[in-house]
Amino acid sequence: MGWEPEPSVIAGCALFAVWYFWVPRGSGRGRSWARALAFVAADTILLLALISPLDTLGERALFSAHMLQHLLLLEVVAPLLIVAIPPAMALGWLRRRRLAQIETGLRRPALAWTIGFATLALWHLPWCYDLALRNDALHAIEHLSFLVSACIFWWPVLAPLAASRLDTVSSIFYLFARMTANLMLGIAIIAAPTGLYTAYAHRALPLPFGLTPTLDQQIGGFLMWVPTLLIDAAAAPLLLALFLKPAARHVPTSPAATDPAAPAELRS
């Protein structure tokens, strides 16, 4: 249950903070204290999730601890990173035609939702899950893919530019559909025989906190959907407050959106 201060993780989080606060100075205009606080929280939680005893427990002893680590990346770090992006910074990115085309494609709800859930489901297939725990490089790729796919998932809901976001009702249904899918995946894990993930087959008993292997697996299954339900329930009034802010609705997604000489697919 010790700390594992992996230098690459610490350096990565530090460089991320330097980039956010110092590099994009021109495009960072309009960065409020709330957005800056959201970034600091996201970067700090990301660091702690990857170097704290939670990481050690998840790799060596408890499936439920590993699930909690994944939950932090998917449901806390990713949405906070989206919230931390100032509209001016996002607009600067979308002045690049290629990035604007990619953003227009990825923000489609069906695609963003599928990428988010499919990535989660794929890595929790027993074969993929066990392989990631046996290979450090693949494990790092797993965590990175969780973070990237979760940011794609949350973009249509929390994007800094209003034209990139779903309306309030659609956002609530979008999140409800994700909660339902996570529920089914969690039930499958809970109902599976003990020892679903063989990477934990040789862990020393008794387990930390007095858990049994069966209870550990069941808690992990509940963590797959219960926190998601709570987050989605809390998101409804917050989304309503966000979308009722009229000022943000007048920010265009990119110069191409108002440029009559731009191709029609970029203006739409």
Side-chain angles (χ1 to χ4, degrees), residues 1-33:
M1 293 177 62
W3 288 73
E4 291 189 344
E6 175 62 40
S8 61
V9 174
I10 296 173
C13 289
L15 289 174
F16 197 19
V18 170
W19 172 83
Y20 181 82
F21 286 107
W22 295 105
V23 174
R25 293 187 179 185
S27 61
R29 291 191 300 271
R31 183 193 293 118
S32 65
W33 66 268

PDB file of all heavy atoms in Angstrom, residues 1-33:
ATOM      1  N   MET A   1       0.821  -1.204   0.000  1.00  0.00           N
ATOM      2  CA  MET A   1       0.000   0.000   0.000  1.00  0.00           C
ATOM      3  C   MET A   1       0.859   1.260   0.000  1.00  0.00           C
ATOM      4  O   MET A   1       0.451   2.294   0.495  1.00  0.00           O
ATOM      5  CB  MET A   1      -0.949   0.002   1.200  1.00  0.00           C
ATOM      6  CG  MET A   1      -2.019  -1.082   1.154  1.00  0.00           C
ATOM      7  SD  MET A   1      -3.057  -1.097   2.616  1.00  0.00           S
ATOM      8  CE  MET A   1      -3.806   0.537   2.497  1.00  0.00           C
ATOM      9  N   GLY A   2       2.085   1.149  -0.539  1.00  0.00           N
ATOM     10  CA  GLY A   2       2.967   2.297  -0.536  1.00  0.00           C
ATOM     11  C   GLY A   2       2.758   3.199  -1.740  1.00  0.00           C
ATOM     12  O   GLY A   2       2.070   2.860  -2.704  1.00  0.00           O
ATOM     13  N   TRP A   3       3.375   4.354  -1.686  1.00  0.00           N
ATOM     14  CA  TRP A   3       3.340   5.300  -2.802  1.00  0.00           C
ATOM     15  C   TRP A   3       4.341   4.859  -3.865  1.00  0.00           C
ATOM     16  O   TRP A   3       5.392   4.312  -3.545  1.00  0.00           O
ATOM     17  CB  TRP A   3       3.689   6.697  -2.313  1.00  0.00           C
ATOM     18  CG  TRP A   3       2.599   7.321  -1.492  1.00  0.00           C
ATOM     19  CD1 TRP A   3       2.249   6.978  -0.219  1.00  0.00           C
ATOM     20  CD2 TRP A   3       1.724   8.356  -1.893  1.00  0.00           C
ATOM     21  NE1 TRP A   3       1.208   7.753   0.204  1.00  0.00           N
ATOM     22  CE2 TRP A   3       0.858   8.618  -0.801  1.00  0.00           C
ATOM     23  CE3 TRP A   3       1.572   9.108  -3.053  1.00  0.00           C
ATOM     24  CZ2 TRP A   3      -0.135   9.588  -0.845  1.00  0.00           C
ATOM     25  CZ3 TRP A   3       0.589  10.082  -3.106  1.00  0.00           C
ATOM     26  CH2 TRP A   3      -0.258  10.314  -2.019  1.00  0.00           C
ATOM     27  N   GLU A   4       4.012   5.116  -5.125  1.00  0.00           N
ATOM     28  CA  GLU A   4       4.910   4.803  -6.228  1.00  0.00           C
ATOM     29  C   GLU A   4       5.113   6.074  -7.064  1.00  0.00           C
ATOM     30  O   GLU A   4       4.424   6.289  -8.056  1.00  0.00           O
ATOM     31  CB  GLU A   4       4.336   3.673  -7.085  1.00  0.00           C
ATOM     32  CG  GLU A   4       4.319   2.334  -6.380  1.00  0.00           C
ATOM     33  CD  GLU A   4       3.956   1.188  -7.316  1.00  0.00           C
ATOM     34  OE1 GLU A   4       3.427   1.454  -8.413  1.00  0.00           O
ATOM     35  OE2 GLU A   4       4.213   0.033  -6.944  1.00  0.00           O
ATOM     36  N   PRO A   5       6.049   6.931  -6.649  1.00  0.00           N
ATOM     37  CA  PRO A   5       6.263   8.199  -7.350  1.00  0.00           C
ATOM     38  C   PRO A   5       6.953   7.999  -8.699  1.00  0.00           C
ATOM     39  O   PRO A   5       8.142   8.268  -8.870  1.00  0.00           O
ATOM     40  CB  PRO A   5       7.134   8.994  -6.377  1.00  0.00           C
ATOM     41  CG  PRO A   5       7.866   7.951  -5.588  1.00  0.00           C
ATOM     42  CD  PRO A   5       6.920   6.779  -5.471  1.00  0.00           C
ATOM     43  N   GLU A   6       6.204   7.511  -9.680  1.00  0.00           N
ATOM     44  CA  GLU A   6       6.739   7.260 -11.010  1.00  0.00           C
ATOM     45  C   GLU A   6       7.189   8.583 -11.637  1.00  0.00           C
ATOM     46  O   GLU A   6       6.381   9.496 -11.830  1.00  0.00           O
ATOM     47  CB  GLU A   6       5.678   6.603 -11.872  1.00  0.00           C
ATOM     48  CG  GLU A   6       6.068   6.403 -13.318  1.00  0.00           C
ATOM     49  CD  GLU A   6       7.263   5.474 -13.470  1.00  0.00           C
ATOM     50  OE1 GLU A   6       7.331   4.475 -12.726  1.00  0.00           O
ATOM     51  OE2 GLU A   6       8.118   5.763 -14.319  1.00  0.00           O
ATOM     52  N   PRO A   7       8.489   8.745 -11.963  1.00  0.00           N
ATOM     53  CA  PRO A   7       8.976  10.027 -12.495  1.00  0.00           C
ATOM     54  C   PRO A   7       8.251  10.480 -13.752  1.00  0.00           C
ATOM     55  O   PRO A   7       7.995  11.683 -13.922  1.00  0.00           O
ATOM     56  CB  PRO A   7      10.460   9.735 -12.777  1.00  0.00           C
ATOM     57  CG  PRO A   7      10.815   8.610 -11.867  1.00  0.00           C
ATOM     58  CD  PRO A   7       9.577   7.774 -11.768  1.00  0.00           C
ATOM     59  N   SER A   8       7.911   9.548 -14.650  1.00  0.00           N
ATOM     60  CA  SER A   8       7.259   9.943 -15.895  1.00  0.00           C
ATOM     61  C   SER A   8       5.870  10.530 -15.635  1.00  0.00           C
ATOM     62  O   SER A   8       5.450  11.485 -16.307  1.00  0.00           O
ATOM     63  CB  SER A   8       7.146   8.741 -16.837  1.00  0.00           C
ATOM     64  OG  SER A   8       6.361   7.709 -16.263  1.00  0.00           O
ATOM     65  N   VAL A   9       5.161  10.002 -14.645  1.00  0.00           N
ATOM     66  CA  VAL A   9       3.837  10.517 -14.306  1.00  0.00           C
ATOM     67  C   VAL A   9       3.953  11.910 -13.683  1.00  0.00           C
ATOM     68  O   VAL A   9       3.222  12.839 -14.048  1.00  0.00           O
ATOM     69  CB  VAL A   9       3.108   9.562 -13.341  1.00  0.00           C
ATOM     70  CG1 VAL A   9       1.787  10.169 -12.862  1.00  0.00           C
ATOM     71  CG2 VAL A   9       2.864   8.221 -14.012  1.00  0.00           C
ATOM     72  N   ILE A  10       4.876  12.061 -12.755  1.00  0.00           N
ATOM     73  CA  ILE A  10       5.067  13.364 -12.099  1.00  0.00           C
ATOM     74  C   ILE A  10       5.492  14.412 -13.117  1.00  0.00           C
ATOM     75  O   ILE A  10       4.965  15.534 -13.147  1.00  0.00           O
ATOM     76  CB  ILE A  10       6.108  13.243 -10.972  1.00  0.00           C
ATOM     77  CG1 ILE A  10       5.604  12.297  -9.883  1.00  0.00           C
ATOM     78  CG2 ILE A  10       6.421  14.612 -10.385  1.00  0.00           C
ATOM     79  CD1 ILE A  10       6.620  11.984  -8.810  1.00  0.00           C
ATOM     80  N   ALA A  11       6.441  14.051 -13.987  1.00  0.00           N
ATOM     81  CA  ALA A  11       6.907  14.996 -15.010  1.00  0.00           C
ATOM     82  C   ALA A  11       5.783  15.340 -15.978  1.00  0.00           C
ATOM     83  O   ALA A  11       5.621  16.504 -16.375  1.00  0.00           O
ATOM     84  CB  ALA A  11       8.095  14.403 -15.762  1.00  0.00           C
ATOM     85  N   GLY A  12       4.995  14.349 -16.361  1.00  0.00           N
ATOM     86  CA  GLY A  12       3.901  14.597 -17.287  1.00  0.00           C
ATOM     87  C   GLY A  12       2.868  15.547 -16.720  1.00  0.00           C
ATOM     88  O   GLY A  12       2.418  16.484 -17.406  1.00  0.00           O
ATOM     89  N   CYS A  13       2.484  15.353 -15.465  1.00  0.00           N
ATOM     90  CA  CYS A  13       1.506  16.240 -14.829  1.00  0.00           C
ATOM     91  C   CYS A  13       2.080  17.644 -14.646  1.00  0.00           C
ATOM     92  O   CYS A  13       1.362  18.645 -14.802  1.00  0.00           O
ATOM     93  CB  CYS A  13       1.066  15.657 -13.483  1.00  0.00           C
ATOM     94  SG  CYS A  13       0.034  14.183 -13.624  1.00  0.00           S
ATOM     95  N   ALA A  14       3.366  17.738 -14.316  1.00  0.00           N
ATOM     96  CA  ALA A  14       3.993  19.051 -14.151  1.00  0.00           C
ATOM     97  C   ALA A  14       4.050  19.806 -15.479  1.00  0.00           C
ATOM     98  O   ALA A  14       3.737  20.999 -15.549  1.00  0.00           O
ATOM     99  CB  ALA A  14       5.401  18.884 -13.567  1.00  0.00           C
ATOM    100  N   LEU A  15       4.450  19.123 -16.551  1.00  0.00           N
ATOM    101  CA  LEU A  15       4.510  19.761 -17.867  1.00  0.00           C
ATOM    102  C   LEU A  15       3.117  20.159 -18.354  1.00  0.00           C
ATOM    103  O   LEU A  15       2.951  21.197 -19.008  1.00  0.00           O
ATOM    104  CB  LEU A  15       5.172  18.817 -18.866  1.00  0.00           C
ATOM    105  CG  LEU A  15       6.673  18.590 -18.679  1.00  0.00           C
ATOM    106  CD1 LEU A  15       7.174  17.520 -19.646  1.00  0.00           C
ATOM    107  CD2 LEU A  15       7.442  19.896 -18.886  1.00  0.00           C
ATOM    108  N   PHE A  16       2.135  19.361 -18.036  1.00  0.00           N
ATOM    109  CA  PHE A  16       0.759  19.678 -18.384  1.00  0.00           C
ATOM    110  C   PHE A  16       0.333  20.992 -17.735  1.00  0.00           C
ATOM    111  O   PHE A  16      -0.293  21.854 -18.363  1.00  0.00           O
ATOM    112  CB  PHE A  16      -0.144  18.531 -17.946  1.00  0.00           C
ATOM    113  CG  PHE A  16      -1.507  18.521 -18.589  1.00  0.00           C
ATOM    114  CD1 PHE A  16      -1.764  19.226 -19.756  1.00  0.00           C
ATOM    115  CD2 PHE A  16      -2.534  17.793 -18.007  1.00  0.00           C
ATOM    116  CE1 PHE A  16      -3.022  19.201 -20.337  1.00  0.00           C
ATOM    117  CE2 PHE A  16      -3.794  17.760 -18.583  1.00  0.00           C
ATOM    118  CZ  PHE A  16      -4.040  18.478 -19.753  1.00  0.00           C
ATOM    119  N   ALA A  17       0.698  21.165 -16.457  1.00  0.00           N
ATOM    120  CA  ALA A  17       0.363  22.398 -15.740  1.00  0.00           C
ATOM    121  C   ALA A  17       1.100  23.594 -16.331  1.00  0.00           C
ATOM    122  O   ALA A  17       0.528  24.680 -16.489  1.00  0.00           O
ATOM    123  CB  ALA A  17       0.688  22.242 -14.256  1.00  0.00           C
ATOM    124  N   VAL A  18       2.380  23.397 -16.657  1.00  0.00           N
ATOM    125  CA  VAL A  18       3.147  24.488 -17.269  1.00  0.00           C
ATOM    126  C   VAL A  18       2.515  24.902 -18.585  1.00  0.00           C
ATOM    127  O   VAL A  18       2.355  26.095 -18.882  1.00  0.00           O
ATOM    128  CB  VAL A  18       4.617  24.056 -17.478  1.00  0.00           C
ATOM    129  CG1 VAL A  18       5.355  25.079 -18.342  1.00  0.00           C
ATOM    130  CG2 VAL A  18       5.316  23.899 -16.136  1.00  0.00           C
ATOM    131  N   TRP A  19       2.143  23.940 -19.399  1.00  0.00           N
ATOM    132  CA  TRP A  19       1.507  24.260 -20.683  1.00  0.00           C
ATOM    133  C   TRP A  19       0.207  25.024 -20.473  1.00  0.00           C
ATOM    134  O   TRP A  19      -0.043  26.033 -21.142  1.00  0.00           O
ATOM    135  CB  TRP A  19       1.224  22.972 -21.449  1.00  0.00           C
ATOM    136  CG  TRP A  19       0.407  23.227 -22.690  1.00  0.00           C
ATOM    137  CD1 TRP A  19       0.858  23.640 -23.901  1.00  0.00           C
ATOM    138  CD2 TRP A  19      -1.020  23.128 -22.803  1.00  0.00           C
ATOM    139  NE1 TRP A  19      -0.195  23.803 -24.783  1.00  0.00           N
ATOM    140  CE2 TRP A  19      -1.351  23.489 -24.131  1.00  0.00           C
ATOM    141  CE3 TRP A  19      -2.036  22.766 -21.930  1.00  0.00           C
ATOM    142  CZ2 TRP A  19      -2.669  23.502 -24.583  1.00  0.00           C
ATOM    143  CZ3 TRP A  19      -3.333  22.769 -22.372  1.00  0.00           C
ATOM    144  CH2 TRP A  19      -3.644  23.131 -23.692  1.00  0.00           C
ATOM    145  N   TYR A  20      -0.616  24.591 -19.540  1.00  0.00           N
ATOM    146  CA  TYR A  20      -1.924  25.221 -19.357  1.00  0.00           C
ATOM    147  C   TYR A  20      -1.794  26.680 -18.902  1.00  0.00           C
ATOM    148  O   TYR A  20      -2.513  27.550 -19.375  1.00  0.00           O
ATOM    149  CB  TYR A  20      -2.739  24.437 -18.332  1.00  0.00           C
ATOM    150  CG  TYR A  20      -4.126  25.007 -18.089  1.00  0.00           C
ATOM    151  CD1 TYR A  20      -5.179  24.713 -18.955  1.00  0.00           C
ATOM    152  CD2 TYR A  20      -4.389  25.838 -16.999  1.00  0.00           C
ATOM    153  CE1 TYR A  20      -6.438  25.225 -18.752  1.00  0.00           C
ATOM    154  CE2 TYR A  20      -5.646  26.362 -16.778  1.00  0.00           C
ATOM    155  CZ  TYR A  20      -6.672  26.054 -17.660  1.00  0.00           C
ATOM    156  OH  TYR A  20      -7.932  26.580 -17.447  1.00  0.00           O
ATOM    157  N   PHE A  21      -0.876  26.931 -17.974  1.00  0.00           N
ATOM    158  CA  PHE A  21      -0.813  28.269 -17.371  1.00  0.00           C
ATOM    159  C   PHE A  21       0.138  29.232 -18.088  1.00  0.00           C
ATOM    160  O   PHE A  21      -0.004  30.444 -17.965  1.00  0.00           O
ATOM    161  CB  PHE A  21      -0.407  28.164 -15.900  1.00  0.00           C
ATOM    162  CG  PHE A  21      -1.502  27.653 -15.018  1.00  0.00           C
ATOM    163  CD1 PHE A  21      -1.457  26.370 -14.499  1.00  0.00           C
ATOM    164  CD2 PHE A  21      -2.593  28.447 -14.718  1.00  0.00           C
ATOM    165  CE1 PHE A  21      -2.475  25.893 -13.691  1.00  0.00           C
ATOM    166  CE2 PHE A  21      -3.618  27.983 -13.910  1.00  0.00           C
ATOM    167  CZ  PHE A  21      -3.557  26.698 -13.391  1.00  0.00           C
ATOM    168  N   TRP A  22       1.108  28.708 -18.873  1.00  0.00           N
ATOM    169  CA  TRP A  22       2.113  29.601 -19.424  1.00  0.00           C
ATOM    170  C   TRP A  22       2.213  29.598 -20.937  1.00  0.00           C
ATOM    171  O   TRP A  22       2.439  30.654 -21.533  1.00  0.00           O
ATOM    172  CB  TRP A  22       3.490  29.251 -18.843  1.00  0.00           C
ATOM    173  CG  TRP A  22       3.560  29.492 -17.375  1.00  0.00           C
ATOM    174  CD1 TRP A  22       3.545  28.560 -16.381  1.00  0.00           C
ATOM    175  CD2 TRP A  22       3.627  30.763 -16.712  1.00  0.00           C
ATOM    176  NE1 TRP A  22       3.592  29.157 -15.153  1.00  0.00           N
ATOM    177  CE2 TRP A  22       3.651  30.509 -15.322  1.00  0.00           C
ATOM    178  CE3 TRP A  22       3.675  32.088 -17.170  1.00  0.00           C
ATOM    179  CZ2 TRP A  22       3.715  31.523 -14.375  1.00  0.00           C
ATOM    180  CZ3 TRP A  22       3.743  33.096 -16.225  1.00  0.00           C
ATOM    181  CH2 TRP A  22       3.763  32.822 -14.852  1.00  0.00           C
ATOM    182  N   VAL A  23       2.060  28.456 -21.565  1.00  0.00           N
ATOM    183  CA  VAL A  23       2.330  28.400 -23.003  1.00  0.00           C
ATOM    184  C   VAL A  23       1.275  29.115 -23.837  1.00  0.00           C
ATOM    185  O   VAL A  23       1.598  30.029 -24.596  1.00  0.00           O
ATOM    186  CB  VAL A  23       2.507  26.935 -23.466  1.00  0.00           C
ATOM    187  CG1 VAL A  23       2.653  26.866 -24.979  1.00  0.00           C
ATOM    188  CG2 VAL A  23       3.716  26.329 -22.776  1.00  0.00           C
ATOM    189  N   PRO A  24      -0.010  28.760 -23.748  1.00  0.00           N
ATOM    190  CA  PRO A  24      -0.996  29.385 -24.630  1.00  0.00           C
ATOM    191  C   PRO A  24      -1.511  30.707 -24.068  1.00  0.00           C
ATOM    192  O   PRO A  24      -2.706  30.884 -23.827  1.00  0.00           O
ATOM    193  CB  PRO A  24      -2.108  28.339 -24.690  1.00  0.00           C
ATOM    194  CG  PRO A  24      -2.053  27.685 -23.358  1.00  0.00           C
ATOM    195  CD  PRO A  24      -0.620  27.751 -22.890  1.00  0.00           C
ATOM    196  N   ARG A  25      -0.600  31.667 -23.835  1.00  0.00           N
ATOM    197  CA  ARG A  25      -1.012  32.907 -23.178  1.00  0.00           C
ATOM    198  C   ARG A  25      -2.046  33.662 -23.993  1.00  0.00           C
ATOM    199  O   ARG A  25      -3.036  34.152 -23.468  1.00  0.00           O
ATOM    200  CB  ARG A  25       0.208  33.795 -22.928  1.00  0.00           C
ATOM    201  CG  ARG A  25       1.174  33.220 -21.905  1.00  0.00           C
ATOM    202  CD  ARG A  25       2.267  34.210 -21.576  1.00  0.00           C
ATOM    203  NE  ARG A  25       3.189  33.671 -20.587  1.00  0.00           N
ATOM    204  CZ  ARG A  25       4.184  34.360 -20.043  1.00  0.00           C
ATOM    205  NH1 ARG A  25       4.390  35.611 -20.408  1.00  0.00           N
ATOM    206  NH2 ARG A  25       4.973  33.801 -19.167  1.00  0.00           N
ATOM    207  N   GLY A  26      -1.804  33.781 -25.310  1.00  0.00           N
ATOM    208  CA  GLY A  26      -2.730  34.541 -26.128  1.00  0.00           C
ATOM    209  C   GLY A  26      -4.106  33.917 -26.173  1.00  0.00           C
ATOM    210  O   GLY A  26      -5.125  34.595 -26.046  1.00  0.00           O
ATOM    211  N   SER A  27      -4.150  32.581 -26.344  1.00  0.00           N
ATOM    212  CA  SER A  27      -5.439  31.906 -26.435  1.00  0.00           C
ATOM    213  C   SER A  27      -6.040  31.646 -25.068  1.00  0.00           C
ATOM    214  O   SER A  27      -7.169  31.179 -24.970  1.00  0.00           O
ATOM    215  CB  SER A  27      -5.281  30.566 -27.163  1.00  0.00           C
ATOM    216  OG  SER A  27      -4.400  29.723 -26.447  1.00  0.00           O
ATOM    217  N   GLY A  28      -5.294  31.967 -24.006  1.00  0.00           N
ATOM    218  CA  GLY A  28      -5.800  31.728 -22.667  1.00  0.00           C
ATOM    219  C   GLY A  28      -6.579  32.884 -22.097  1.00  0.00           C
ATOM    220  O   GLY A  28      -6.994  32.848 -20.938  1.00  0.00           O
ATOM    221  N   ARG A  29      -6.780  33.938 -22.867  1.00  0.00           N
ATOM    222  CA  ARG A  29      -7.566  35.072 -22.394  1.00  0.00           C
ATOM    223  C   ARG A  29      -8.963  34.599 -22.030  1.00  0.00           C
ATOM    224  O   ARG A  29      -9.578  33.818 -22.747  1.00  0.00           O
ATOM    225  CB  ARG A  29      -7.645  36.169 -23.451  1.00  0.00           C
ATOM    226  CG  ARG A  29      -6.321  36.880 -23.701  1.00  0.00           C
ATOM    227  CD  ARG A  29      -6.542  38.123 -24.548  1.00  0.00           C
ATOM    228  NE  ARG A  29      -7.135  37.769 -25.844  1.00  0.00           N
ATOM    229  CZ  ARG A  29      -6.430  37.463 -26.919  1.00  0.00           C
ATOM    230  NH1 ARG A  29      -5.111  37.450 -26.869  1.00  0.00           N
ATOM    231  NH2 ARG A  29      -7.030  37.157 -28.060  1.00  0.00           N
ATOM    232  N   GLY A  30      -9.473  35.111 -20.947  1.00  0.00           N
ATOM    233  CA  GLY A  30     -10.784  34.698 -20.504  1.00  0.00           C
ATOM    234  C   GLY A  30     -10.759  33.503 -19.574  1.00  0.00           C
ATOM    235  O   GLY A  30     -11.806  33.001 -19.182  1.00  0.00           O
ATOM    236  N   ARG A  31      -9.548  33.047 -19.209  1.00  0.00           N
ATOM    237  CA  ARG A  31      -9.445  31.941 -18.272  1.00  0.00           C
ATOM    238  C   ARG A  31      -9.842  32.445 -16.893  1.00  0.00           C
ATOM    239  O   ARG A  31      -9.145  33.245 -16.292  1.00  0.00           O
ATOM    240  CB  ARG A  31      -8.041  31.378 -18.240  1.00  0.00           C
ATOM    241  CG  ARG A  31      -7.885  30.169 -17.338  1.00  0.00           C
ATOM    242  CD  ARG A  31      -6.447  29.803 -17.073  1.00  0.00           C
ATOM    243  NE  ARG A  31      -5.775  29.322 -18.263  1.00  0.00           N
ATOM    244  CZ  ARG A  31      -4.730  29.918 -18.827  1.00  0.00           C
ATOM    245  NH1 ARG A  31      -4.270  31.039 -18.308  1.00  0.00           N
ATOM    246  NH2 ARG A  31      -4.167  29.431 -19.892  1.00  0.00           N
ATOM    247  N   SER A  32     -10.951  32.007 -16.379  1.00  0.00           N
ATOM    248  CA  SER A  32     -11.438  32.459 -15.083  1.00  0.00           C
ATOM    249  C   SER A  32     -10.772  31.667 -13.972  1.00  0.00           C
ATOM    250  O   SER A  32     -10.156  30.620 -14.199  1.00  0.00           O
ATOM    251  CB  SER A  32     -12.953  32.285 -15.008  1.00  0.00           C
ATOM    252  OG  SER A  32     -13.294  30.905 -15.061  1.00  0.00           O
ATOM    253  N   TRP A  33     -10.932  32.165 -12.757  1.00  0.00           N
ATOM    254  CA  TRP A  33     -10.356  31.447 -11.619  1.00  0.00           C
ATOM    255  C   TRP A  33     -11.025  30.082 -11.460  1.00  0.00           C
ATOM    256  O   TRP A  33     -10.382  29.124 -11.044  1.00  0.00           O
ATOM    257  CB  TRP A  33     -10.501  32.270 -10.346  1.00  0.00           C
ATOM    258  CG  TRP A  33     -11.921  32.463  -9.895  1.00  0.00           C
ATOM    259  CD1 TRP A  33     -12.759  33.499 -10.202  1.00  0.00           C
ATOM    260  CD2 TRP A  33     -12.680  31.563  -9.071  1.00  0.00           C
ATOM    261  NE1 TRP A  33     -13.996  33.311  -9.622  1.00  0.00           N
ATOM    262  CE2 TRP A  33     -13.974  32.136  -8.923  1.00  0.00           C
ATOM    263  CE3 TRP A  33     -12.418  30.345  -8.455  1.00  0.00           C
ATOM    264  CZ2 TRP A  33     -14.982  31.528  -8.181  1.00  0.00           C
ATOM    265  CZ3 TRP A  33     -13.420  29.740  -7.702  1.00  0.00           C
ATOM    266  CH2 TRP A  33     -14.677  30.324  -7.577  1.00  0.00           C
TER     267      TRP A  33
END
